[in-house]
């Protein structure tokens, strides 16, 4: 443990005051909630941010942290800017936040301050977020207006080497074009596998089909 980590641990533990901690886990009563003050909010944000592999919006941080009924969006909207000011989080672009090295050092010595059930639910939520974001990195969609008033919807699925599938569909309205793009983003891999199966499926000989 570095000197900075030790100092951060002493700071957060001192702020927790008389909060009971037993065997590395906060005493937790289901139904009463873990969040009791702003420090609890910040500890949970640090935990979530340390596990996230991609930048998060304020709304996404709230969704991932909302594993306790006592957490409000207002609390989080106050805590995040304060954590940016303190150097525990960084806003790398508008409404996109990541944890800093200072934040990681603080999180490493304060993780045991989070109720275990809340921690496990938050961890599972972040793992789902990371998986979804990783998939999303390989999907591109574009809607191009055409002269006739309809729209061209370009759908592309990539891997680490480049595009593995590129489709272009025609939609009569912008609403339908957006629906196609949205559906592709949620089911791109299924669509790709379905096209492959359809193309590679061996056609049954006509003689066999008539038997």
């Amino acid at each position: 443990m570095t000197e900075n980590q030790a100092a951060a641990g002493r700071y957060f533990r001192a702020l927790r005051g008389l909060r009971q901690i037993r065997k590395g886990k906060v005493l937790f009563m289901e139904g009463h909630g873990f969040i009791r003050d702003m420090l609890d909010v910040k500890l949970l944000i640090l935990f979530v941010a340390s596990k996230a592999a991609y930048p998060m919006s304020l709304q996404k941080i709230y969704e991932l942290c909302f594993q306790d009924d006592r957490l409000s969006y207002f609390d989080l909207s106050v805590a995040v800017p304060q954590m940016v000011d303190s150097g525990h989080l960084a806003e790398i672009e508008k409404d996109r936040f990541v944890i800093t090295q200072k934040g990681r050092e603080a999180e490493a010595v304060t993780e045991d301050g989070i109720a275990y059930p809340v921690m496990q639910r938050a961890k599972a939520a972040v793992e789902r977020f990371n998986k979804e974001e990783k998939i999303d990195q390989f999907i591109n969609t574009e809607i191009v207006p055409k002269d006739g008033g309809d729209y061209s919807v370009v759908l592309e699925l990539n891997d680490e080497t480049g595009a593995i599938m590129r489709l272009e569909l025609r939609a009569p309205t912008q609403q339908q074009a957006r629906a196609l793009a949205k559906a592709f983003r949620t089911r791109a891999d299924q669509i790709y596998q379905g096209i492959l199966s359809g193309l590679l499926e061996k056609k049954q000989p006509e003689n066999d089909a008539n038997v």
Side-chain angles (χ1 to χ4, degrees), residues 14-33:
L15 286 179
R16 295 190 71 80
L18 299 177
R19 186 69 51 79
Q20 289 181 296
I21 298 178
R22 179 179 296 169
K23 296 181 180 179
K25 299 183 180 70
V26 173
L27 294 178
F28 179 81
M29 292 190 296
E30 199 72 50
H32 291 276

Side-chain angles (χ1 to χ4, degrees), residues 159-184:
D159 63 10
E160 291 81 357
T161 62
I164 59 175
M165 178 178 69
R166 191 175 190 275
L167 303 174
E168 185 170 356
L169 305 176
R170 187 66 61 90
T173 65
Q174 188 178 48
Q175 182 179 7
Q176 188 179 82
R178 288 174 176 170
L180 288 171
K182 182 178 180 181
F184 183 74

Side-chain angles (χ1 to χ4, degrees), residues 105-184:
E105 291 176 354
E107 192 278 332
V109 294
T110 58
E111 183 177 303
D112 64 355
I114 302 174
Y116 186 72
V118 174
M119 181 192 300
Q120 291 300 103
R121 291 196 292 267
K123 182 180 179 182
V126 176
E127 287 174 350
R128 289 193 298 272
F129 165 73
N130 287 339
K131 182 178 180 180
E132 291 167 0
E133 285 295 302
K134 183 177 181 180
I135 294 173
D136 198 55
Q137 298 293 312
F138 296 112
I139 299 172
N140 294 319
T141 62
E142 184 181 8
I143 298 174
V144 183
K146 294 296 185 180
D147 293 336
D150 52 6
Y151 296 83
S152 176
V153 187
V154 181
L155 312 170
E156 190 173 85
L157 179 64
N158 303 276
D159 63 10
E160 291 81 357
T161 62
I164 59 175
M165 178 178 69
R166 191 175 190 275
L167 303 174
E168 185 170 356
L169 305 176
R170 187 66 61 90
T173 65
Q174 188 178 48
Q175 182 179 7
Q176 188 179 82
R178 288 174 176 170
L180 288 171
K182 182 178 180 181
F184 183 74

Side-chain angles (χ1 to χ4, degrees), residues 44-163:
L44 188 53
I45 292 171
L46 276 180
F47 176 77
V48 164
S50 72
K51 306 302 180 188
Y54 302 91
M56 300 172 291
S57 66
L58 191 65
Q59 177 64 32
K60 180 55 66 175
I61 296 174
Y62 174 67
E63 291 171 6
L64 298 178
C65 287
F66 189 67
Q67 312 301 328
D68 186 291
D69 291 340
R70 289 177 177 265
L71 180 67
S72 72
Y73 186 83
F74 175 77
D75 291 335
L76 194 131
S77 67
V78 170
V80 169
Q82 290 179 354
M83 296 173 73
V84 172
D85 291 341
S86 66
H88 292 89
L89 296 178
E91 188 174 14
I92 58 173
E93 57 183 273
K94 185 173 177 58
D95 196 33
R96 288 294 181 272
F97 301 92
V98 296
I99 194 169
T100 63
Q101 183 58 37
K102 180 179 180 181
R104 289 191 183 281
E105 291 176 354
E107 192 278 332
V109 294
T110 58
E111 183 177 303
D112 64 355
I114 302 174
Y116 186 72
V118 174
M119 181 192 300
Q120 291 300 103
R121 291 196 292 267
K123 182 180 179 182
V126 176
E127 287 174 350
R128 289 193 298 272
F129 165 73
N130 287 339
K131 182 178 180 180
E132 291 167 0
E133 285 295 302
K134 183 177 181 180
I135 294 173
D136 198 55
Q137 298 293 312
F138 296 112
I139 299 172
N140 294 319
T141 62
E142 184 181 8
I143 298 174
V144 183
K146 294 296 185 180
D147 293 336
D150 52 6
Y151 296 83
S152 176
V153 187
V154 181
L155 312 170
E156 190 173 85
L157 179 64
N158 303 276
D159 63 10
E160 291 81 357
T161 62

